[in-house]
PDB file of all heavy atoms in Angstrom:
ATOM      1  N   PRO X  23      -5.050  41.433  55.241  1.00  0.00           N
ATOM      2  CA  PRO X  23      -5.073  40.014  54.949  1.00  0.00           C
ATOM      3  C   PRO X  23      -4.597  39.740  53.528  1.00  0.00           C
ATOM      4  O   PRO X  23      -4.579  40.609  52.681  1.00  0.00           O
ATOM      5  CB  PRO X  23      -6.604  39.685  55.097  1.00  0.00           C
ATOM      6  CG  PRO X  23      -7.300  40.948  54.767  1.00  0.00           C
ATOM      7  CD  PRO X  23      -6.378  42.053  55.287  1.00  0.00           C
ATOM      8  N   ASP X  24      -4.149  38.486  53.322  1.00  0.00           N
ATOM      9  CA  ASP X  24      -3.707  38.045  51.998  1.00  0.00           C
ATOM     10  C   ASP X  24      -2.579  38.913  51.424  1.00  0.00           C
ATOM     11  O   ASP X  24      -2.477  39.129  50.246  1.00  0.00           O
ATOM     12  CB  ASP X  24      -4.872  38.040  50.996  1.00  0.00           C
ATOM     13  CG  ASP X  24      -6.095  37.312  51.565  1.00  0.00           C
ATOM     14  OD1 ASP X  24      -5.989  36.098  51.831  1.00  0.00           O
ATOM     15  OD2 ASP X  24      -7.156  37.930  51.713  1.00  0.00           O
ATOM     16  N   ASP X  25      -1.708  39.384  52.286  1.00  0.00           N
ATOM     17  CA  ASP X  25      -0.656  40.322  51.875  1.00  0.00           C
ATOM     18  C   ASP X  25       0.645  39.989  52.654  1.00  0.00           C
ATOM     19  O   ASP X  25       0.949  40.581  53.680  1.00  0.00           O
ATOM     20  CB  ASP X  25      -1.126  41.761  52.207  1.00  0.00           C
ATOM     21  CG  ASP X  25      -0.143  42.790  51.781  1.00  0.00           C
ATOM     22  OD1 ASP X  25       0.949  42.463  51.237  1.00  0.00           O
ATOM     23  OD2 ASP X  25      -0.418  43.993  51.999  1.00  0.00           O
ATOM     24  N   PRO X  26       1.473  39.078  52.118  1.00  0.00           N
ATOM     25  CA  PRO X  26       2.689  38.727  52.787  1.00  0.00           C
ATOM     26  C   PRO X  26       3.622  39.883  53.011  1.00  0.00           C
ATOM     27  O   PRO X  26       4.265  39.990  54.078  1.00  0.00           O
ATOM     28  CB  PRO X  26       3.323  37.674  51.848  1.00  0.00           C
ATOM     29  CG  PRO X  26       2.183  37.049  51.141  1.00  0.00           C
ATOM     30  CD  PRO X  26       1.187  38.178  50.930  1.00  0.00           C
ATOM     31  N   ALA X  27       3.709  40.804  52.042  1.00  0.00           N
ATOM     32  CA  ALA X  27       4.589  41.969  52.191  1.00  0.00           C
ATOM     33  C   ALA X  27       4.107  42.857  53.340  1.00  0.00           C
ATOM     34  O   ALA X  27       4.924  43.302  54.219  1.00  0.00           O
ATOM     35  CB  ALA X  27       4.641  42.763  50.912  1.00  0.00           C
ATOM     36  N   GLY X  28       2.828  43.071  53.403  1.00  0.00           N
ATOM     37  CA  GLY X  28       2.290  43.920  54.501  1.00  0.00           C
ATOM     38  C   GLY X  28       2.447  43.264  55.851  1.00  0.00           C
ATOM     39  O   GLY X  28       2.762  43.907  56.856  1.00  0.00           O
ATOM     40  N   MET X  29       2.303  41.896  55.882  1.00  0.00           N
ATOM     41  CA  MET X  29       2.526  41.182  57.130  1.00  0.00           C
ATOM     42  C   MET X  29       3.964  41.263  57.554  1.00  0.00           C
ATOM     43  O   MET X  29       4.251  41.488  58.748  1.00  0.00           O
ATOM     44  CB  MET X  29       2.147  39.677  56.868  1.00  0.00           C
ATOM     45  CG  MET X  29       2.180  38.838  58.126  1.00  0.00           C
ATOM     46  SD  MET X  29       2.015  37.052  57.760  1.00  0.00           S
ATOM     47  CE  MET X  29       0.765  37.014  56.479  1.00  0.00           C
ATOM     48  N   ALA X  30       4.903  41.076  56.656  1.00  0.00           N
ATOM     49  CA  ALA X  30       6.362  41.148  56.996  1.00  0.00           C
ATOM     50  C   ALA X  30       6.679  42.513  57.541  1.00  0.00           C
ATOM     51  O   ALA X  30       7.440  42.617  58.524  1.00  0.00           O
ATOM     52  CB  ALA X  30       7.179  40.806  55.770  1.00  0.00           C
ATOM     53  N   ALA X  31       6.125  43.568  56.900  1.00  0.00           N
ATOM     54  CA  ALA X  31       6.436  44.956  57.369  1.00  0.00           C
ATOM     55  C   ALA X  31       5.893  45.145  58.790  1.00  0.00           C
ATOM     56  O   ALA X  31       6.585  45.744  59.633  1.00  0.00           O
ATOM     57  CB  ALA X  31       5.867  45.944  56.415  1.00  0.00           C
ATOM     58  N   ALA X  32       4.686  44.663  59.066  1.00  0.00           N
ATOM     59  CA  ALA X  32       4.073  44.828  60.409  1.00  0.00           C
ATOM     60  C   ALA X  32       4.891  44.067  61.463  1.00  0.00           C
ATOM     61  O   ALA X  32       5.146  44.620  62.561  1.00  0.00           O
ATOM     62  CB  ALA X  32       2.639  44.359  60.363  1.00  0.00           C
ATOM     63  N   LEU X  33       5.295  42.855  61.141  1.00  0.00           N
ATOM     64  CA  LEU X  33       6.073  42.081  62.123  1.00  0.00           C
ATOM     65  C   LEU X  33       7.441  42.712  62.337  1.00  0.00           C
ATOM     66  O   LEU X  33       7.893  42.752  63.494  1.00  0.00           O
ATOM     67  CB  LEU X  33       6.203  40.622  61.616  1.00  0.00           C
ATOM     68  CG  LEU X  33       4.924  39.812  61.553  1.00  0.00           C
ATOM     69  CD1 LEU X  33       5.107  38.466  60.829  1.00  0.00           C
ATOM     70  CD2 LEU X  33       4.363  39.572  62.969  1.00  0.00           C
ATOM     71  N   ALA X  34       8.140  43.105  61.291  1.00  0.00           N
ATOM     72  CA  ALA X  34       9.419  43.782  61.432  1.00  0.00           C
ATOM     73  C   ALA X  34       9.274  45.022  62.279  1.00  0.00           C
ATOM     74  O   ALA X  34      10.156  45.329  63.111  1.00  0.00           O
ATOM     75  CB  ALA X  34       9.994  44.074  60.052  1.00  0.00           C
ATOM     76  N   GLY X  35       8.213  45.802  62.030  1.00  0.00           N
ATOM     77  CA  GLY X  35       8.037  47.013  62.815  1.00  0.00           C
ATOM     78  C   GLY X  35       7.821  46.764  64.285  1.00  0.00           C
ATOM     79  O   GLY X  35       8.336  47.469  65.171  1.00  0.00           O
ATOM     80  N   LEU X  36       7.141  45.668  64.570  1.00  0.00           N
ATOM     81  CA  LEU X  36       6.863  45.306  65.983  1.00  0.00           C
ATOM     82  C   LEU X  36       8.158  44.835  66.695  1.00  0.00           C
ATOM     83  O   LEU X  36       8.423  45.180  67.833  1.00  0.00           O
ATOM     84  CB  LEU X  36       5.806  44.219  66.065  1.00  0.00           C
ATOM     85  CG  LEU X  36       5.102  43.938  67.368  1.00  0.00           C
ATOM     86  CD1 LEU X  36       4.599  45.252  68.042  1.00  0.00           C
ATOM     87  CD2 LEU X  36       3.894  42.976  67.160  1.00  0.00           C
ATOM     88  N   PHE X  37       9.005  44.065  65.925  1.00  0.00           N
ATOM     89  CA  PHE X  37      10.257  43.670  66.524  1.00  0.00           C
ATOM     90  C   PHE X  37      11.164  44.867  66.723  1.00  0.00           C
ATOM     91  O   PHE X  37      11.946  44.903  67.698  1.00  0.00           O
ATOM     92  CB  PHE X  37      10.984  42.685  65.594  1.00  0.00           C
ATOM     93  CG  PHE X  37      10.529  41.239  65.770  1.00  0.00           C
ATOM     94  CD1 PHE X  37       9.982  40.531  64.733  1.00  0.00           C
ATOM     95  CD2 PHE X  37      10.681  40.567  66.988  1.00  0.00           C
ATOM     96  CE1 PHE X  37       9.550  39.232  64.888  1.00  0.00           C
ATOM     97  CE2 PHE X  37      10.268  39.286  67.145  1.00  0.00           C
ATOM     98  CZ  PHE X  37       9.689  38.603  66.090  1.00  0.00           C
ATOM     99  N   ALA X  38      11.048  45.889  65.935  1.00  0.00           N
ATOM    100  CA  ALA X  38      11.925  47.061  66.022  1.00  0.00           C
ATOM    101  C   ALA X  38      11.489  48.013  67.126  1.00  0.00           C
ATOM    102  O   ALA X  38      12.233  48.925  67.514  1.00  0.00           O
ATOM    103  CB  ALA X  38      11.975  47.803  64.687  1.00  0.00           C
ATOM    104  N   ASP X  39      10.313  47.763  67.710  1.00  0.00           N
ATOM    105  CA  ASP X  39       9.768  48.702  68.725  1.00  0.00           C
ATOM    106  C   ASP X  39       9.491  47.977  70.024  1.00  0.00           C
ATOM    107  O   ASP X  39       8.410  48.005  70.566  1.00  0.00           O
ATOM    108  CB  ASP X  39       8.435  49.311  68.140  1.00  0.00           C
ATOM    109  CG  ASP X  39       8.019  50.562  68.904  1.00  0.00           C
ATOM    110  OD1 ASP X  39       8.774  51.056  69.693  1.00  0.00           O
ATOM    111  OD2 ASP X  39       6.899  50.990  68.682  1.00  0.00           O
ATOM    112  N   ARG X  40      10.559  47.364  70.554  1.00  0.00           N
ATOM    113  CA  ARG X  40      10.377  46.533  71.762  1.00  0.00           C
ATOM    114  C   ARG X  40       9.986  47.361  72.995  1.00  0.00           C
ATOM    115  O   ARG X  40       9.514  46.838  73.963  1.00  0.00           O
ATOM    116  CB  ARG X  40      11.701  45.784  72.049  1.00  0.00           C
ATOM    117  CG  ARG X  40      11.931  44.630  71.075  1.00  0.00           C
ATOM    118  CD  ARG X  40      13.260  43.922  71.346  1.00  0.00           C
ATOM    119  NE  ARG X  40      13.459  42.810  70.424  1.00  0.00           N
ATOM    120  CZ  ARG X  40      13.178  41.549  70.705  1.00  0.00           C
ATOM    121  NH1 ARG X  40      12.690  41.230  71.858  1.00  0.00           N
ATOM    122  NH2 ARG X  40      13.426  40.605  69.789  1.00  0.00           N
ATOM    123  N   GLY X  41      10.191  48.671  72.895  1.00  0.00           N
ATOM    124  CA  GLY X  41       9.852  49.527  74.057  1.00  0.00           C
ATOM    125  C   GLY X  41       8.394  49.481  74.422  1.00  0.00           C
ATOM    126  O   GLY X  41       8.016  49.820  75.544  1.00  0.00           O
ATOM    127  N   ILE X  42       7.513  49.129  73.454  1.00  0.00           N
ATOM    128  CA  ILE X  42       6.067  49.111  73.759  1.00  0.00           C
ATOM    129  C   ILE X  42       5.575  47.744  74.238  1.00  0.00           C
ATOM    130  O   ILE X  42       4.444  47.625  74.635  1.00  0.00           O
ATOM    131  CB  ILE X  42       5.252  49.483  72.453  1.00  0.00           C
ATOM    132  CG1 ILE X  42       5.360  48.424  71.429  1.00  0.00           C
ATOM    133  CG2 ILE X  42       5.678  50.852  71.926  1.00  0.00           C
ATOM    134  CD1 ILE X  42       4.349  48.528  70.306  1.00  0.00           C
ATOM    135  N   TRP X  43       6.459  46.762  74.171  1.00  0.00           N
ATOM    136  CA  TRP X  43       6.017  45.358  74.409  1.00  0.00           C
ATOM    137  C   TRP X  43       5.390  45.191  75.764  1.00  0.00           C
ATOM    138  O   TRP X  43       4.312  44.556  75.884  1.00  0.00           O
ATOM    139  CB  TRP X  43       7.144  44.399  74.204  1.00  0.00           C
ATOM    140  CG  TRP X  43       7.537  44.132  72.797  1.00  0.00           C
ATOM    141  CD1 TRP X  43       7.198  44.952  71.682  1.00  0.00           C
ATOM    142  CD2 TRP X  43       8.279  43.071  72.278  1.00  0.00           C
ATOM    143  NE1 TRP X  43       7.700  44.406  70.542  1.00  0.00           N
ATOM    144  CE2 TRP X  43       8.392  43.269  70.845  1.00  0.00           C
ATOM    145  CE3 TRP X  43       8.899  41.987  72.806  1.00  0.00           C
ATOM    146  CZ2 TRP X  43       9.061  42.371  70.033  1.00  0.00           C
ATOM    147  CZ3 TRP X  43       9.585  41.064  72.018  1.00  0.00           C
ATOM    148  CH2 TRP X  43       9.674  41.268  70.626  1.00  0.00           C
ATOM    149  N   GLU X  44       6.048  45.631  76.799  1.00  0.00           N
ATOM    150  CA  GLU X  44       5.558  45.355  78.164  1.00  0.00           C
ATOM    151  C   GLU X  44       4.156  45.974  78.376  1.00  0.00           C
ATOM    152  O   GLU X  44       3.207  45.285  78.883  1.00  0.00           O
ATOM    153  CB  GLU X  44       6.520  45.919  79.206  1.00  0.00           C
ATOM    154  CG  GLU X  44       6.135  45.543  80.615  1.00  0.00           C
ATOM    155  CD  GLU X  44       7.210  45.996  81.659  1.00  0.00           C
ATOM    156  OE1 GLU X  44       8.299  46.387  81.244  1.00  0.00           O
ATOM    157  OE2 GLU X  44       6.904  45.917  82.849  1.00  0.00           O
ATOM    158  N   ASP X  45       3.957  47.242  77.962  1.00  0.00           N
ATOM    159  CA  ASP X  45       2.649  47.828  78.133  1.00  0.00           C
ATOM    160  C   ASP X  45       1.586  47.187  77.261  1.00  0.00           C
ATOM    161  O   ASP X  45       0.466  46.986  77.700  1.00  0.00           O
ATOM    162  CB  ASP X  45       2.717  49.323  77.777  1.00  0.00           C
ATOM    163  CG  ASP X  45       3.429  50.158  78.854  1.00  0.00           C
ATOM    164  OD1 ASP X  45       3.609  49.625  79.994  1.00  0.00           O
ATOM    165  OD2 ASP X  45       3.771  51.330  78.604  1.00  0.00           O
ATOM    166  N   ARG X  46       1.947  46.826  76.018  1.00  0.00           N
ATOM    167  CA  ARG X  46       1.004  46.166  75.141  1.00  0.00           C
ATOM    168  C   ARG X  46       0.512  44.863  75.702  1.00  0.00           C
ATOM    169  O   ARG X  46      -0.695  44.549  75.698  1.00  0.00           O
ATOM    170  CB  ARG X  46       1.678  45.925  73.793  1.00  0.00           C
ATOM    171  CG  ARG X  46       0.870  45.118  72.746  1.00  0.00           C
ATOM    172  CD  ARG X  46      -0.204  45.941  72.124  1.00  0.00           C
ATOM    173  NE  ARG X  46       0.333  47.102  71.370  1.00  0.00           N
ATOM    174  CZ  ARG X  46       0.789  47.075  70.123  1.00  0.00           C
ATOM    175  NH1 ARG X  46       0.791  45.963  69.437  1.00  0.00           N
ATOM    176  NH2 ARG X  46       1.192  48.177  69.554  1.00  0.00           N
ATOM    177  N   ARG X  47       1.469  44.060  76.251  1.00  0.00           N
ATOM    178  CA  ARG X  47       1.046  42.794  76.845  1.00  0.00           C
ATOM    179  C   ARG X  47       0.124  43.012  78.029  1.00  0.00           C
ATOM    180  O   ARG X  47      -0.823  42.297  78.198  1.00  0.00           O
ATOM    181  CB  ARG X  47       2.350  42.047  77.288  1.00  0.00           C
ATOM    182  CG  ARG X  47       3.203  41.477  76.184  1.00  0.00           C
ATOM    183  CD  ARG X  47       4.492  41.015  76.795  1.00  0.00           C
ATOM    184  NE  ARG X  47       5.348  40.323  75.784  1.00  0.00           N
ATOM    185  CZ  ARG X  47       6.661  40.283  75.875  1.00  0.00           C
ATOM    186  NH1 ARG X  47       7.291  40.934  76.824  1.00  0.00           N
ATOM    187  NH2 ARG X  47       7.373  39.626  74.979  1.00  0.00           N
ATOM    188  N   ALA X  48       0.470  43.949  78.884  1.00  0.00           N
ATOM    189  CA  ALA X  48      -0.357  44.182  80.066  1.00  0.00           C
ATOM    190  C   ALA X  48      -1.804  44.633  79.698  1.00  0.00           C
ATOM    191  O   ALA X  48      -2.741  44.204  80.274  1.00  0.00           O
ATOM    192  CB  ALA X  48       0.331  45.232  80.946  1.00  0.00           C
ATOM    193  N   VAL X  49      -1.898  45.525  78.711  1.00  0.00           N
ATOM    194  CA  VAL X  49      -3.192  46.007  78.270  1.00  0.00           C
ATOM    195  C   VAL X  49      -4.013  44.864  77.695  1.00  0.00           C
ATOM    196  O   VAL X  49      -5.225  44.763  77.950  1.00  0.00           O
ATOM    197  CB  VAL X  49      -3.035  47.167  77.279  1.00  0.00           C
ATOM    198  CG1 VAL X  49      -4.403  47.532  76.635  1.00  0.00           C
ATOM    199  CG2 VAL X  49      -2.427  48.405  77.984  1.00  0.00           C
ATOM    200  N   ALA X  50      -3.385  44.064  76.874  1.00  0.00           N
ATOM    201  CA  ALA X  50      -4.101  42.932  76.245  1.00  0.00           C
ATOM    202  C   ALA X  50      -4.573  41.943  77.269  1.00  0.00           C
ATOM    203  O   ALA X  50      -5.701  41.458  77.200  1.00  0.00           O
ATOM    204  CB  ALA X  50      -3.171  42.261  75.177  1.00  0.00           C
ATOM    205  N   ARG X  51      -3.714  41.611  78.207  1.00  0.00           N
ATOM    206  CA  ARG X  51      -4.106  40.632  79.262  1.00  0.00           C
ATOM    207  C   ARG X  51      -5.242  41.158  80.081  1.00  0.00           C
ATOM    208  O   ARG X  51      -6.178  40.491  80.463  1.00  0.00           O
ATOM    209  CB  ARG X  51      -2.914  40.269  80.088  1.00  0.00           C
ATOM    210  CG  ARG X  51      -3.229  39.262  81.173  1.00  0.00           C
ATOM    211  CD  ARG X  51      -1.988  38.889  81.998  1.00  0.00           C
ATOM    212  NE  ARG X  51      -2.358  38.176  83.225  1.00  0.00           N
ATOM    213  CZ  ARG X  51      -2.519  36.895  83.311  1.00  0.00           C
ATOM    214  NH1 ARG X  51      -2.358  36.105  82.289  1.00  0.00           N
ATOM    215  NH2 ARG X  51      -2.857  36.308  84.488  1.00  0.00           N
ATOM    216  N   ALA X  52      -5.188  42.502  80.398  1.00  0.00           N
ATOM    217  CA  ALA X  52      -6.262  43.129  81.190  1.00  0.00           C
ATOM    218  C   ALA X  52      -7.565  43.036  80.448  1.00  0.00           C
ATOM    219  O   ALA X  52      -8.644  42.878  81.019  1.00  0.00           O
ATOM    220  CB  ALA X  52      -5.866  44.548  81.535  1.00  0.00           C
ATOM    221  N   PHE X  53      -7.523  43.265  79.096  1.00  0.00           N
ATOM    222  CA  PHE X  53      -8.730  43.131  78.295  1.00  0.00           C
ATOM    223  C   PHE X  53      -9.359  41.736  78.398  1.00  0.00           C
ATOM    224  O   PHE X  53     -10.571  41.606  78.574  1.00  0.00           O
ATOM    225  CB  PHE X  53      -8.398  43.444  76.838  1.00  0.00           C
ATOM    226  CG  PHE X  53      -9.441  42.982  75.858  1.00  0.00           C
ATOM    227  CD1 PHE X  53     -10.630  43.656  75.714  1.00  0.00           C
ATOM    228  CD2 PHE X  53      -9.203  41.853  75.069  1.00  0.00           C
ATOM    229  CE1 PHE X  53     -11.628  43.225  74.807  1.00  0.00           C
ATOM    230  CE2 PHE X  53     -10.168  41.431  74.147  1.00  0.00           C
ATOM    231  CZ  PHE X  53     -11.354  42.091  74.030  1.00  0.00           C
ATOM    232  N   VAL X  54      -8.535  40.699  78.353  1.00  0.00           N
ATOM    233  CA  VAL X  54      -9.044  39.329  78.445  1.00  0.00           C
ATOM    234  C   VAL X  54      -9.619  39.115  79.836  1.00  0.00           C
ATOM    235  O   VAL X  54     -10.754  38.571  80.005  1.00  0.00           O
ATOM    236  CB  VAL X  54      -7.929  38.326  78.125  1.00  0.00           C
ATOM    237  CG1 VAL X  54      -8.477  36.852  78.375  1.00  0.00           C
ATOM    238  CG2 VAL X  54      -7.480  38.472  76.735  1.00  0.00           C
ATOM    239  N   GLU X  55      -8.914  39.503  80.877  1.00  0.00           N
ATOM    240  CA  GLU X  55      -9.400  39.293  82.238  1.00  0.00           C
ATOM    241  C   GLU X  55     -10.727  40.039  82.460  1.00  0.00           C
ATOM    242  O   GLU X  55     -11.607  39.532  83.147  1.00  0.00           O
ATOM    243  CB  GLU X  55      -8.343  39.802  83.239  1.00  0.00           C
ATOM    244  CG  GLU X  55      -7.082  38.935  83.317  1.00  0.00           C
ATOM    245  CD  GLU X  55      -6.109  39.478  84.324  1.00  0.00           C
ATOM    246  OE1 GLU X  55      -6.001  40.705  84.427  1.00  0.00           O
ATOM    247  OE2 GLU X  55      -5.407  38.652  84.985  1.00  0.00           O
TER     248      GLU X  55
END
């Protein structure tokens, strides 16, 4: 928190790793359900 540089790095890393997106979305949705 309170760290724009750390936030930017985390977001950039997530955009660079699109291969995990589908599984991540499915696991998160299953958690909510």
Side-chain angles (χ1 to χ4, degrees):
D24 308 301
D25 182 359
M29 186 190 317
L33 293 171
L36 197 48
F37 277 120
D39 197 9
R40 289 178 178 264
I42 69 168
W43 284 19
E44 186 174 349
D45 285 346
R46 174 77 60 84
R47 288 168 173 153
V49 170
R51 182 179 166 88
F53 163 75
V54 176
E55 290 180 324

